[in-house]
Amino acid sequence: MKEKRILLIGTGGTIASELGESGLEPELTSEQLLRYIPDISEICEVECEQLFSLDSTNIQPKHWARIAGAIRERYREFDGFVVSHGTDTMAYTAAALSYLVQGSPKPIVLTGAQKPIGFETTDSKQNLRDALTVAVSDLPGVTLVFNGKIIMGTRARKTHSKSFEAFSSINYPLLGMVRDGRIIRYIRPESRAVPQFYETVNSNVSLMKLIPGADCGVAAYLLERSDALIIESFGVGGLPTYKAGDYYETVKTGLEAGKTVVMTTQVENEGSDLAVYHVGNSIKRNLPILEAYDMTTEAVTAKLMWILGQTKDRKWVQELFYTPVACDILAGK
Ligand code: ASP
């Protein structure tokens, strides 16, 4: 059988970092990473491409578009793709790639590590090996592989800042596990015969996390400066009403100016349900806001940037927002 060909795309992160005078900094290329797992040549042929070397704190939406562009350019040449990436914003990039490369029949796998590949104790080699194992399989679409877990790209979140067990799948089961070089599958996502690529993202999206007593002027300021505002409220969702009309009028003004407002929750599991309480129901019923339901904030952010890169028409934005892409939203409208 012909050996599978995988493209390993390097972008930086801890996995590629070395200790300098002011802490860890990404230095190694994807080619250098690969030298740490020489036996990988037994399972596939890997070609390397280094796009940039960034701590993922510095990754911006324009970098997502570059990664998607690199995959698009070389899509026919390879059987699968691995993107090595910093863990801090990897969930955002995984979500973004799920919107920029939709329905891929070939695996597109993100991975990284909590400890650099050159350290004596490191998760880098295992994660890279596992990611390549998934990339040679027939598991379609964008996934994040970390500490043996295979997570849907739209469902990943970094939930531990230090442990090797760094990522969780939010409001969706794991797609599978990689154990001792073998994939144990639970779910196979749907794919198309050919992927649909998108190039344009609109990064003018803001996020406000509510705290008790949060100044509504902050929401007004963000709405003025952004095309879309995501409000992470409490519980199943709602806006403060203790100052009559304060938040309601601010959101209404933003919507009248053509902005998109998405309500979500800062609670990690089970999502929003604005209709339940008066504080949520009153805005949901009277204003054309959108609701995230079970989507992660990472996915909401990337989805809005993708949608607003295509259209600002309210009806169309709403239609696209509620249309599931890569299992990002399960709950009803
Ligand atoms: N700060 C690093 C990054 O996100 C952390 C990591 O990769 O684990 O690039």
Side-chain angles (χ1 to χ4, degrees):
M1 202 177 75
K2 184 181 147 277
E3 208 176 52
K4 289 211 174 172
R5 297 191 71 224
I6 307 299
L7 182 65
L8 173 61
I9 299 173
T11 71
T14 294
I15 189 168
S17 286
E18 286 184 335
L19 198 50
E21 273 183 9
S22 56
L24 292 169
E25 266 192 281
E27 299 285 353
L28 305 181
T29 62
S30 44
E31 204 149 351
Q32 287 170 307
L33 291 182
L34 204 60
R35 284 190 209 134
Y36 282 88
I37 47 168
D39 54 325
I40 207 70
S41 59
E42 287 164 24
I43 62 164
C44 58
E45 189 190 318
V46 185
E47 196 172 304
C48 296
E49 181 167 345
Q50 190 67 27
L51 284 186
F52 33 83
S53 286
L54 293 173
D55 187 296
S56 75
T57 305
N58 286 321
I59 296 261
Q60 301 157 55
K62 67 178 183 191
H63 298 107
W64 304 338
R66 276 190 65 191
I67 301 169
I71 295 169
R72 175 189 206 148
E73 256 172 49
R74 313 200 65 188
Y75 196 79
R76 277 161 192 246
E77 281 177 65
F78 294 92
D79 300 297
F81 301 83
V82 172
V83 180
S84 77
H85 194 288
T87 60
D88 292 345
T89 65
M90 199 195 304
Y92 286 93
T93 301
L97 291 180
S98 307
Y99 299 112
L100 295 178
V101 189
Q102 292 185 26
S104 170
K106 298 179 182 178
I108 299 171
V109 188
L110 288 106
T111 198
Q114 294 281 53
K115 293 284 176 214
I117 204 158
F119 279 22
E120 206 171 301
T121 306
T122 179
D123 50 342
S124 294
K125 291 176 218 168
Q126 195 58 52
N127 286 343
L128 196 54
R129 205 187 296 276
D130 289 349
L132 286 161
T133 303
V134 175
V136 296
S137 77
D138 61 354
L139 192 77
V142 178
T143 55
L144 189 154
V145 171
F146 211 95
N147 202 36
K149 289 175 172 173
I150 310 172
I151 302 172
M152 195 76 198
T154 54
R155 294 292 183 171
R157 169 167 292 171
K158 187 170 180 182
T159 47
H160 290 90
S161 60
K162 296 177 181 173
S163 326
F164 287 175
E165 179 72 359
F167 285 89
S168 302
S169 181
I170 306 296
N171 297 330
Y172 200 77
L174 292 177
L175 300 185
M177 299 287 297
V178 190
R179 241 184 242 135
D180 301 325
R182 281 226 152 102
I183 299 177
I184 304 151
R185 281 163 183 255
Y186 307 145
I187 299 174
R188 186 187 160 82
E190 283 175 14
S191 62
R192 302 184 191 157
V194 283
Q196 169 131 29
F197 288 95
Y198 293 85
E199 285 172 8
T200 324
V201 281
N202 176 345
S203 58
N204 200 11
V205 172
S206 299
L207 169 68
M208 179 178 180
K209 179 173 183 165
L210 290 188
I211 54 170
D215 178 1
C216 178
V218 176
Y221 176 82
L222 291 174
L223 269 168
E224 216 169 276
R225 288 180 60 109
S226 319
D227 291 329
L229 175 64
I230 305 160
I231 302 177
E232 260 192 5
S233 66
F234 313 112
V236 288
L239 286 176
T241 52
Y242 56 83
K243 264 196 205 163
D246 194 10
Y247 271 93
Y248 185 92
E249 287 305 325
T250 301
V251 167
K252 187 163 172 256
T253 306
L255 290 164
E256 281 166 1
K259 314 291 171 121
T260 300
V261 177
V262 179
M263 291 290 302
T264 187
T265 173
Q266 48 196 268
V267 180
E268 192 156 89
N269 294 295
E270 299 174 354
S272 71
D273 192 354
L274 280 173
V276 177
Y277 295 98
H278 173 74
V279 286
N281 192 304
S282 51
I283 45 162
K284 179 83 194 244
R285 210 154 20 108
N286 298 315
L287 297 177
I289 52 146
L290 302 174
E291 177 171 2
Y293 294 106
D294 59 313
M295 291 179 81
T296 65
T297 296
E298 291 86 337
V300 170
T301 305
K303 194 170 196 177
L304 284 176
M305 290 187 184
W306 162 66
I307 293 171
L308 295 172
Q310 326 300 313
T311 182
K312 282 202 184 138
D313 175 80
R314 187 178 307 288
K315 272 224 149 97
W316 195 217
V317 170
Q318 172 165 339
E319 180 70 28
L320 287 172
F321 187 79
Y322 287 129
T323 302
V325 175
C327 311
D328 60 349
I329 185 166
L330 295 174
K333 292 182 195 182

